[in-house]
Amino acid sequence: MEEPSIAVDPMPKTRDYQQEMLDASIKENIIIAQDTGSGKTLIAILRMRYEIERNSQKVSWFLAPTVALCEQQHGVIKDSMQVPVGLIHGALEPKQWTDSSLWKRVLENNRVIVSTPQVLLDALSHGYVHMGEDIGLLVFDEAHHADRNHPMSCIMRDFYFSLPPRTPAASEYNPPTRKERPMVLGLTASPMFGGSAPVAFRTLEANLDCVIRSPRTNRDELIAHVHRPVFRHVRYDTPQYLDRDYTSKNLSAVEAVIATMNIEEDPYVIGLRAALAKTSSGPERARLDQKLSKTIQGKKTYSHSGLKDLVNAAKAICYDLGPWAADWYVDGVVSLALGRQTPYDDFTGSLQPKEKAYLIKYLSQIKLTPVSFDPVDIEAGMTDKVRVVLDTLEYEKEWSELSGEPYSGLIFVKRRDEVLALAEILNRHPRSSPHFRLGCLLGSSHSSYRNTFLDITRRLLKEQPQSETLIEFRSGDKNLIVATAVAEEGLDIQACGNVIRWDIPDNMASWAQSRGRARRRKSSFVLMFDSAGFDDARVAEFEKLEHQMTALYQADRTKPQAPTEEEAFDEDEPVFKVESTGAVLSALQAVTHLNHFCSVLPNAGHIAHLPIYDIDPPDMPEGWHSHDPQQRVNPLPYQGPFGCTVTLPRLLPRELRVFTVDRIYPTKRSAYRHVAFKAYLALYRENLLNDHLLPLTSVVEPDLEEEVKNLLKDVEKRSSMAAVTSQMNPWQDEETDTAWRATRIDIQGFAPVRMLTRVELPSFAAAEAPVLYHPQKGRIKAELQAQGVVHLTHSDLRVAQESTRRLFWCLYGTRMEWDRLDFAYLFEPAEVESERDVWDARRTWVRDPQYGESSGEDILANAADFGEKFLYPTDISWVRDGYPYGKVYRFLQWKYPSKEELDEFMEIRSRMPETRKVIHVEELPRRANFLKPLASTGEPPRTRSLWPELSRVVLLSRVQCDHAILMPSIIRHISVAATVVSLRETLFTGTPLYDIPFSLLITAVTAPVAQDHVNYQRLETLGDGVLKFVVSMYLLSTYPLWHEGYLTKRKDHAVSNSRLAKEAIRLSLYKWIIRDRFTPRKFVPQYAIQPEVDSDYAEDEFAEDGFDDDWGQPRERRKVDEDLSTKMLADVVESLIGAAYLHGGFNLGIECVRLFGLGIDPSGWQPLETYVDKALSRVETPEFPPQTTDVERMIGYTFSHKLLLVEAVTHASYQFDLRTVSYERMEFLGDSVLDMIITHTLYHYPRKEFSPGQMHIRKSAVVNTHFLAFICFQCSLEKDASLPRPSRGGIVMDEETQRISLYQCLLHSSPVVFDQQRSTLARYRKVKDEVEEALRHGTTFPWAALTRLQAPKFFSDMIESIIGAVYLDSHGDLDVVRQVLRNLGILQQLERIVKDKVDVLHPITRLHIWAARTQKKVETEFEEERAHVTCTITVEGREPVQATAEKRSRASREEARFAAAEKAIKLWDVKTTDGSS
């Protein structure tokens, strides 16, 4: 780890007592006990600076008990150092930091870390931080908290005492990194809460392995610098406690309403009773029975508890502050509740509608008396205690101002409700409101399960955030704060001169902390006593303890003996340690760990995943709730011992779902901890936790995107050219020798030609030879025959080079250099050419003698001179119109010009032509890439006449011209074929992949950017489906204990573009990807040494593919980004998998997947049948009741393994029949099976060649959640529901049937699911006819109507899980699954979409495509108002379009968006298709 540079800011000079404590902390572990404001934090900063200056490789870790205190201390420490100081607290979700490299970076980048104790405890527990290796100094702020099971104490007990003692810090600089205990420094104003001072001191010292110290040598200086406030007390009378009728009007009104409430009428109780009645015997019934009895016994429903809490809070306010405050409080709470009684309000957000209505009903019955804000009424309605606090405030303000200080004060109040009420009085009372600028500081109280009714009181405080209140107090904008204990401990409130305790402190620490808030040189600390004297003894006790603590500070103290490693852990508390990481599991931590494990299980939103604890014995007798209310006897509290059973969510397999500990533990809490420990340890041993004892993240690799980008950079660096030229060049070989090798090329219908190359070309089988498509001769074959090494003389080589130059110069000369003859390939006639001597003589004639060497003029001859010299021969092939680079035409004949042609010449030239004949020609074929199949135009070539004196004859024979036009296409094919052969020989030799047809391999490695006649896009789409399917099967069979969340994450990473690209780079696949574009009209022959080319530029790739451009004219070049991309690499991997699948089915596809690995051991890849058999081997085949046949009849398939069907229809909430997990694993498999079948069907659809985009939108139409949910409703059967009835002739049967839908067969125990089924059914009935009509006869797919169904995901999950179960049960027979899909109507719908050309383009996609074509942007906005969601879609230049949907869930937004999009399409006349025919 690189040591950060150390630059230490100058610090304020330490006082002698601070230096005394600093010196002591360097020698040994100490707890500094000094009053608040004495500079303890400064000593800690100096101690951490000393640790940094030692050049220790370890960090200093500063712990503070609250987030607010952490943030404050972090700011102070950071400002005092110029080394990085990190801050970590719960709000940063450190539990989600499951990557050890992330923690390593935190430790490397920061020399000081500030956090709450729980953060460090979690990091140590999971082995991400190692105390002995990573931490050099531990600082405990507010160290008195280190007691019992506080995280501070757990850190020391579980991780500190097991380490060897550390060499004292003073003994060495630049120390080696050793595994040893860190030094410890504690900070506190009071080392104890209460009880015996000697015992408390010894306990704290033992827990932190420290000795408590306070300055002794310089104690007088400490006392001089710490300004203890003047202690005063005031008394108040409490006659109201003797008055039984003491109350307020609004309080009485609430009590009167509560008296009319009956717990049995509460909808929550009614719901529990209904659920109990429908539940069969078993664990879930027992839980419901207990919950119902406890709810009735304690009247613990939201409504009853909420109103009871309101009364209790109002009573406390009434007795402490008076009737006026109680009336104000009740009026405020009830008015707020009634003013926010919509079903969507957050204060009742967790309630069912009936519970909300029940609560609102009784709140509405409270007869509130309006609150008077007249000062006289306020004065009359307040207690003596309030009057005394007003007197005290006036006195303290005057006393402060007489001393020349502006007043600033704090009033500490225990209850947050009383803070609100007291602040209201002080803000309105004429004795206080003009003089005090008031602020409030409140703690937070959150219910962990259901919101507390009184949480609504947060709205009574219309204040700015706590931090702003403190800033305004420090600046003097506020001079009085009423606060709960949140301001007691640690918060820096230096401006305070007066502290008033509304309530007597609960303990010694609270006494010292609150007194320490009075920090001015002249300040006061005021306690308010009941005049009856109840509080005097408590204060005397605090003062006595303070004297005892001072005496203990002065005494000689030694550190207690540290416990051994065995003693560090409670014998009754089991501990498990992972040696490889140091992660530790204790019973104390197990409950929170288990909760976290369950909370991160996949959740579809309709059930919370939590462990369920059942205490043994139950708290209430079974059936207690059913007794007559008058006869119910509350059971006596059971004193123990206790046992416990924990049940984990149904996503886990049966053997990992239920754990039990015997009835041997002294408390319920102990039983909870031990059973959680047992369960969590079992999860680890079954590999559902990683070695950091966290839910599996090792199954998920870190994001590979950055790694792949770096690998690609390395590829580019290794390449001698630009990134795109890292493609294999078959004409260049580093091992090329000087020998030439010959290949004979026989072209059907043309003269053969011999090609000479310096590289050894592969042997091409017949299927690998080029097929050409000639405009006149149609489809022609070419054969390649290797002839081995040939020996060429210098003269032979020169002739072949000149022959090659002539071959290409006529058509491609503008991109060639005449003097360059070092071609990578040479061409010469394979047989003696009969016309050779004739054309040699003609070229000799045309050569200009004065230039010696040929300069290109032997290729072109003036047609007039040529005709006159050679008597107008007819064996000419090509004529060029103009000189030097006019258009090339095919020669037809010499002929005499017509009168019109003569007149035209005269008009242009103003003279008669010198020759009497003209040349009749026709255009060459516009196409030049003869590898592409012909597209019939039906138009004959156009002809014209050329004047010989303005034209040039091309001095090449017919054979040479034929070769010149065909050779670029043949060279292209050889290049591609050689590349593919190289791929096959390098990667596939010795594997079944070697036999994949050549044509499939060419398609698989040809990128779309090459614009060839084939590309990998369709194969990539097919391969993507195959890959996801086989990976899903591998994971499902290999990891039977993994839930769907683990499976999905592992699959997503295995098939991610980053992973595929990484594997492609590992195998150097980029060399064989065909991505250079072949454009014959811009053809340049390869040279042995390629010329420097600016690869950032390319010709216009959309130029016409022919020979008729303005030859030689410079063309504008545009920049083309040709860098190899992650996606291209991944696409080729998938297309190769697709090619393997097409040739050899899934098992050959698996062989291709094995080649790339995907981070999975190669031995893991087995034939598909092995995966299926492996998965089936774990399925039991017990007898099942006949009800399961309903689903079988609906889908038209009978299961051999009935348990698979039960699993497929079992919801995670189902509490019975523990033989199977819930449906998520089957749904995981079914999703990939459905995707595979639909993709295969579209790929092979008769007479269709769907593009990937066209396949995608058609597949999306029949696999989306809305459509599958609709199928779940549609799939149904009629069941006999006949009932007997009396008639005159006796009892007769009324024949009747009922239709049962598939969704009704879902096994669940959730009232939420039941409600969602009913509400979705109501929506289904509304859209059914519209959707059915559109699916059967419509021309557009009914996206918007299906979205209005707003079906929760479990409807579509059910279809997919059944598909997965059928696939397994049929031993992997996809034809069986296809028949089930046909029975469900899914395949028929796909076929109708294709057959009738149904427009399936998603309305949102349609809008975006349309807008993109006009270079505009679609913007979508949502607005939510009570029961509705409105979506507005805007596009520049168009009127905005709106649509509204009823607010029910997140799906409501989708419904509104769909509706708005369809409306916009109609109003704006948007016409866009997917391009299919």
Side-chain angles (χ1 to χ4, degrees), residues 1021-1022 1024-1026 1029 1141 1146 1229-1245 1255 1259 1262-1263 1363-1364 1366-1367 1370 1372-1382 1386-1388 1390-1391:
T1021 300
L1022 182 64
D1024 176 72
V1026 173
F1029 173 64
Y1141 167 74
F1146 287 113
L1229 174 60
D1231 175 73
S1232 62
V1233 172
L1234 178 61
D1235 186 273
M1236 182 67 242
I1237 289 176
I1238 301 301
T1239 301
H1240 177 97
T1241 302
L1242 289 168
Y1243 186 93
H1244 291 92
Y1245 209 91
M1255 282 192 277
K1259 181 181 73 174
V1262 295
V1263 303
I1363 291 170
V1366 170
Y1367 175 76
S1370 64
D1373 190 336
L1374 285 179
D1375 287 334
V1376 171
V1377 183
R1378 287 188 183 93
Q1379 186 56 51
V1380 170
L1381 294 181
R1382 193 165 292 283
I1386 294 174
L1387 280 185
Q1388 291 96 316
L1390 178 65
E1391 290 164 357

Side-chain angles (χ1 to χ4, degrees), residues 1046-1256:
Y1046 286 175
L1047 295 172
T1048 298
K1049 286 181 180 178
R1050 185 63 183 92
K1051 182 193 76 173
D1052 289 347
H1053 277 70
V1055 306
S1056 69
N1057 281 353
S1058 297
R1059 162 53 71 186
L1060 298 180
K1062 182 178 180 180
E1063 300 299 342
I1065 293 171
R1066 175 177 63 84
L1067 296 175
S1068 300
L1069 186 62
Y1070 52 84
K1071 294 192 302 185
W1072 297 294
I1073 299 176
I1074 309 300
R1075 54 193 183 276
D1076 61 321
R1077 186 185 173 197
F1078 173 51
T1079 308
R1081 56 197 292 268
K1082 298 174 176 59
F1083 173 79
V1084 180
Q1086 285 256 340
Y1087 291 97
I1089 300 175
Q1090 284 290 87
E1092 292 293 328
V1093 178
D1094 183 0
S1095 63
D1096 282 343
Y1097 289 89
E1099 301 274 5
D1100 183 357
E1101 59 187 71
F1102 297 105
E1104 196 173 28
D1105 194 6
F1107 293 117
D1108 53 350
D1109 62 321
D1110 295 330
W1111 218 53
Q1113 295 301 311
R1115 298 175 61 92
E1116 182 182 350
R1117 298 188 298 175
R1118 61 186 184 82
K1119 193 159 177 95
V1120 176
D1121 183 7
E1122 293 184 311
D1123 287 345
L1124 202 61
S1125 70
T1126 301
K1127 186 177 185 310
M1128 182 184 289
L1129 287 166
D1131 286 350
V1132 173
V1133 172
E1134 290 177 330
S1135 64
L1136 285 170
I1137 293 170
Y1141 167 74
L1142 281 182
H1143 179 61
F1146 287 113
N1147 287 340
L1148 192 60
I1150 290 173
E1151 286 298 322
C1152 194
V1153 175
R1154 184 203 302 275
L1155 175 71
F1156 292 102
L1158 309 186
I1160 294 169
D1161 190 311
S1163 63
W1165 296 112
Q1166 301 292 330
L1168 194 60
E1169 299 79 16
T1170 303
Y1171 298 148
V1172 174
D1173 293 342
K1174 201 172 176 182
L1176 280 176
S1177 68
R1178 305 186 186 100
V1179 181
E1180 301 174 10
T1181 54
E1183 290 299 320
F1184 272 83
Q1187 291 90 323
T1188 56
T1189 60
D1190 287 347
V1191 175
E1192 293 175 325
R1193 289 170 57 197
M1194 289 180 195
I1195 66 174
Y1197 176 79
T1198 302
F1199 280 81
S1200 300
H1201 304 80
K1202 303 290 186 184
L1203 199 63
L1204 285 173
L1205 173 57
V1206 174
E1207 179 178 338
V1209 296
T1210 298
H1211 188 267
S1213 66
Y1214 191 55
Q1215 295 300 325
F1216 311 102
D1217 193 351
L1218 298 178
R1219 285 177 293 184
T1220 178
V1221 297
S1222 51
Y1223 63 62
E1224 283 79 5
R1225 280 173 57 89
M1226 283 299 103
E1227 181 260 327
F1228 167 79
L1229 174 60
D1231 175 73
S1232 62
V1233 172
L1234 178 61
D1235 186 273
M1236 182 67 242
I1237 289 176
I1238 301 301
T1239 301
H1240 177 97
T1241 302
L1242 289 168
Y1243 186 93
H1244 291 92
Y1245 209 91
R1247 297 180 298 280
K1248 296 288 183 182
E1249 286 278 332
F1250 288 125
S1251 70
Q1254 292 162 358
M1255 282 192 277
H1256 171 73

Side-chain angles (χ1 to χ4, degrees), residues 191-301:
M192 59 183 291
F193 285 95
S196 166
V199 172
F201 271 43
R202 275 301 177 197
T203 300
L204 184 60
E205 289 173 330
N207 288 347
L208 292 184
D209 192 31
C210 290
V211 62
I212 297 174
R213 295 281 189 226
S214 188
R216 297 170 63 187
T217 306
N218 301 285
R219 187 159 190 81
D220 291 341
E221 184 191 35
L222 170 63
I223 294 171
H225 280 92
V226 174
H227 311 298
R228 284 242 174 134
V230 175
F231 174 64
R232 288 194 271 264
H233 68 272
V234 294
R235 295 183 179 274
Y236 56 88
D237 295 328
T238 55
Q240 63 270 29
Y241 286 95
L242 302 175
D243 184 357
R244 291 184 178 180
D245 297 326
Y246 190 77
T247 185
S248 79
K249 293 179 181 179
N250 287 342
L251 174 56
S252 297
V254 178
E255 291 178 315
V257 168
I258 290 177
T260 67
M261 297 175 72
N262 181 355
I263 189 66
E264 293 289 350
E265 297 174 357
D266 192 299
Y268 184 66
V269 172
I270 294 172
L272 286 177
R273 284 200 185 279
L276 187 66
K278 292 187 291 186
T279 305
S280 306
S281 60
E284 178 63 12
R285 182 178 177 84
R287 292 185 196 111
L288 284 171
D289 184 89
Q290 286 291 303
K291 183 184 288 188
L292 180 56
S293 293
K294 289 180 185 178
T295 299
I296 292 174
Q297 181 198 34
K299 295 186 176 180
K300 293 180 179 178
T301 66

Side-chain angles (χ1 to χ4, degrees), residues 305 495 574 593 618 736 815 981 1008 1053 1073 1324 1357 1455:
S305 295
H593 287 354
T736 299
R815 288 175 290 279
V981 169
H1053 277 70
I1073 299 176
Y1324 165 75
D1357 286 349
E1455 180 184 338

Side-chain angles (χ1 to χ4, degrees), residues 272-466:
L272 286 177
R273 284 200 185 279
L276 187 66
K278 292 187 291 186
T279 305
S280 306
S281 60
E284 178 63 12
R285 182 178 177 84
R287 292 185 196 111
L288 284 171
D289 184 89
Q290 286 291 303
K291 183 184 288 188
L292 180 56
S293 293
K294 289 180 185 178
T295 299
I296 292 174
Q297 181 198 34
K299 295 186 176 180
K300 293 180 179 178
T301 66
Y302 187 95
S303 300
H304 283 258
S305 295
L307 290 179
K308 184 179 177 181
D309 290 345
L310 174 60
V311 165
N312 290 338
K315 277 186 177 179
I317 291 172
C318 188
Y319 277 90
D320 238 9
L321 287 91
W324 185 90
D327 282 344
W328 171 83
Y329 179 77
V330 171
D331 180 78
V333 171
V334 175
S335 298
L336 268 176
L338 292 175
R340 304 185 63 83
Q341 55 181 300
T342 72
Y344 309 100
D345 183 55
D346 51 0
F347 100 92
T348 57
S350 66
L351 295 183
Q352 293 298 310
K354 289 182 180 179
E355 286 185 81
K356 296 176 184 177
Y358 180 78
L359 175 59
I360 296 300
K361 169 188 170 183
Y362 283 100
L363 286 174
S364 302
Q365 292 176 14
I366 299 173
K367 297 179 180 179
L368 295 173
T369 300
V371 179
S372 169
F373 294 98
D374 188 294
V376 175
D377 294 327
I378 295 174
E379 177 69 29
M382 66 187 193
T383 61
D384 186 56
K385 190 174 184 179
V386 177
R387 295 187 184 93
V388 169
V389 86
L390 287 169
D391 294 341
T392 302
L393 285 170
E394 289 176 337
Y395 174 83
E396 294 297 333
K397 184 173 186 295
E398 182 180 0
W399 182 73
S400 179
E401 290 171 349
L402 286 174
S403 305
E405 294 277 2
Y407 176 80
S408 62
L410 267 170
I411 303 177
F412 282 108
V413 182
K414 282 184 185 178
R415 292 184 60 113
R416 63 191 307 275
D417 307 301
E418 292 192 24
V419 169
L420 297 170
L422 179 58
E424 185 68 18
I425 291 175
L426 295 179
N427 270 325
R428 293 189 178 277
H429 201 285
R431 291 176 61 188
S432 53
S433 59
H435 310 292
F436 299 99
R437 300 176 297 281
L438 200 70
C440 289
L441 291 177
L442 297 177
S444 60
S445 63
H446 291 279
S447 169
S448 61
Y449 176 55
R450 287 157 67 93
N451 289 336
T452 302
F453 175 67
L454 289 188
D455 282 348
I456 198 171
T457 58
R458 300 178 198 283
R459 303 181 190 279
L460 293 174
L461 183 66
K462 303 179 181 67
E463 285 284 336
Q464 69 264 56
Q466 174 178 300

